Amino acid sequence: MQFFKLIIAYDGTGYSGWQVQPNGVTIQQLLEEAWHEVTGESVRIMASGRTDAGVHAEGQVCSVESATSLDCLTLERALNASCPDNISILQVNFADAGFHAIRDAVQKTYRYQIQFGRIRDPLQCQWRWFIPSLVDVAGLEQAARLLEGEHDFASFQASGSDRKTTIRNVSQIRVNQWQRSVFGYLDIEVTANGFLYNMVRNIVGTLVAVGQGKRQPEWVLQVLEQKDRTFAGPTAPAHGLFLVRVDYHEPLN
Amino acid sequence: MQFFKLIIAYDGTGYSGWQVQPNGVTIQQLLEEAWHEVTGESVRIMASGRTDAGVHAEGQVCSVESATSLDCLTLERALNASCPDNISILQVNFADAGFHAIRDAVQKTYRYQIQFGRIRDPLQCQWRWFIPSLVDVAGLEQAARLLEGEHDFASFQASGSDRKTTIRNVSQIRVNQWQRSVFGYLDIEVTANGFLYNMVRNIVGTLVAVGQGKRQPEWVLQVLEQKDRTFAGPTAPAHGLFLVRVDYHEPLN
């Protein structure tokens, strides 16, 4: 058997997320069907993060264990030919025996995309959460700084989750803002060693409450202390979220 | 009566273009319906260019003659509220009496978006023509230089058109190329004092034939000389085309 590492990108619009499920088409399902079409094998393809319905990926990493004798470039070409236009395989590489996309991930980076200002950009509304009035971007950035580091992020996980520990190390939250024509754009990039369920979208919803002037930046420290989802801001919608990059300990081949 | 100048943006995906027609929903129709909803008036809204089905706009300019007493900001807000999310009114201004978006336009700029490389970018394929093998970008740029200036562009107009003159002055063709991850991107921006029907898409199809190594850059001079559509390259698909900007002689208020 050979282990493979796949890097893939997809437009999550209209999909029911990564993970195979009884109702709705998922990325995992289409990728496993493509693998079957190409190799004749029924395999389970694991992804570093099970992105939710409507969430996109620029650099999702997957692991597969397979008996195929096809080489990496042939696999990449054939899988791309078998996948729809909104799913692409960017890279196929051999991986070390036992490689597992979730367990072996060291850190992941997500980007959340916002558009602000009085007028909606009709060419970006599919990829960005539209917030008409974002009056305190400096406050939003300050609040982002306060969330960096190792904390108990229990307030930022979807209610009903039960992870062993809710402590995560958020190594960086980068806020990037620019203006084009009458439109304001804001990207929030979050890197961490692990993410609780809905964590990025809950962090973004909380930061946006500060950006809208509804809360002071220091409020996010109180939210952290409460360790209770009901104290944080709303969950940002899925369509603005991109899984950007997944890092592993050593370069796999 | 008062003349207005509107600047609008839209995602043309799924629309049957600008101009009202019996079958299919058009931007003009929705905008005129919005104007009616806001003011109670049935008006004709003229656009600087009648974009085709699937073509987008970042800065389309429209003219309207109206008896409304609403001020510009109120109109802008109300029209935006009445239009779907993929059409936005960026600006409403009073214009000089007689202002006409087509007749008064001095020059227009279109951008055509391409993605190249072995792998399709699933997050851009809605807005970019995918050309797997673009081997001679330098040649494409050379060919673009040769098309700049005042020429008879008869070879680049859709067959069956009958304009009085097919001479146009293309003041600039800017080619911009960059790489991100495994994807290559190329934008071709064309500015001219006027455009024949399908002219940008025919210029792009012709330049791409050079970029694919099928033709030498100098070939485009022969195409110009023939004054016959059948000598040029194929028509590039609509979904990569954006009307970027329309310039008028003097700032209108």
Side-chain angles (χ1 to χ4, degrees), chain B residues 27-63:
Chain B
I27 320 288
Q28 188 181 34
Q29 172 197 335
L30 293 180
L31 205 57
E32 290 180 353
E33 285 173 8
W35 191 279
H36 186 265
E37 200 178 311
V38 169
T39 67
E41 283 180 318
S42 293
V43 294
R44 174 94 310 182
I45 301 185
M46 306 295 300
S48 72
R50 295 175 291 267
T51 53
D52 279 328
V55 173
H56 320 288
E58 288 177 359
Q60 171 75 283
V61 174
C62 308
S63 52

Side-chain angles (χ1 to χ4, degrees), chain A residues 20-149:
Chain A
V20 167
Q21 49 157 273
N23 307 305
V25 181
T26 67
I27 320 289
Q28 187 181 35
Q29 172 197 335
L30 294 180
L31 206 58
E32 290 179 355
E33 286 173 7
W35 192 278
H36 184 266
E37 201 177 311
V38 170
T39 66
E41 283 180 319
S42 293
V43 294
R44 173 95 308 181
I45 301 185
M46 305 296 301
S48 72
R50 294 175 292 268
T51 53
D52 279 329
V55 173
H56 320 287
E58 289 177 359
Q60 171 74 284
V61 175
C62 307
S63 52
V64 196
E65 190 184 352
S66 161
T68 184
S69 57
L70 296 174
D71 64 88
C72 293
L73 192 59
T74 304
L75 275 170
E76 179 225 284
R77 289 185 172 167
L79 290 171
N80 274 318
S82 296
C83 279
D85 281 1
N86 49 17
I87 303 177
S88 286
I89 288 80
L90 312 187
Q91 239 182 71
V92 178
N93 280 116
F94 293 129
D96 293 335
F99 172 61
H100 189 286
I102 303 176
R103 201 190 47 222
D104 296 344
V106 174
Q107 62 173 16
K108 286 193 285 191
T109 300
Y110 284 92
R111 183 177 67 249
Y112 196 91
Q113 300 192 161
I114 287 168
Q115 189 240 313
F116 64 97
R118 202 171 75 244
I119 297 161
R120 191 191 302 265
D121 181 350
L123 290 153
Q124 287 282 322
C125 60
Q126 197 180 330
W127 320 105
R128 292 185 175 273
W129 186 18
F130 178 54
I131 313 271
S133 149
L134 205 66
V135 293
D136 188 11
V137 173
L140 184 156
E141 287 185 291
Q142 264 183 63
R145 291 288 84 67
L146 298 173
L147 291 177
E148 287 178 339

Side-chain angles (χ1 to χ4, degrees), chain A residues 9-12 56-58 73 76-77 80 85-91 111 118-127 180-183 242, chain B residues 9-12 56-58 73 76-77 80 85-91 111 118-127 180-183 242:
Chain A
Y10 46 84
D11 174 358
H56 320 287
E58 289 177 359
L73 192 59
E76 179 225 284
R77 289 185 172 167
N80 274 318
D85 281 1
N86 49 17
I87 303 177
S88 286
I89 288 80
L90 312 187
Q91 239 182 71
R111 183 177 67 249
R118 202 171 75 244
I119 297 161
R120 191 191 302 265
D121 181 350
L123 290 153
Q124 287 282 322
C125 60
Q126 197 180 330
W127 320 105
R180 208 170 67 97
S181 169
V182 297
F183 309 120
F242 293 71
Chain B
Y10 46 83
D11 174 359
H56 320 288
E58 288 177 359
L73 191 59
E76 178 225 285
R77 288 186 173 165
N80 273 318
D85 282 1
N86 48 18
I87 302 176
S88 285
I89 288 80
L90 311 187
Q91 241 182 69
R111 184 177 66 248
R118 202 171 76 242
I119 297 161
R120 189 192 301 267
D121 181 351
L123 289 153
Q124 289 281 322
C125 59
Q126 198 180 330
W127 320 105
R180 209 170 65 96
S181 169
V182 297
F183 308 120
F242 293 72

Side-chain angles (χ1 to χ4, degrees), chain A residues 232-246:
Chain A
T235 306
H239 72 278
L241 186 60
F242 293 71
L243 173 54
V244 174
R245 200 178 64 241
V246 190

Side-chain angles (χ1 to χ4, degrees), chain A residues 148-162:
Chain A
E148 287 178 339
E150 189 167 274
H151 301 291
D152 186 335
F153 283 95
S155 292
F156 296 91
Q157 88 173 327
S159 40
S161 316
D162 59 338

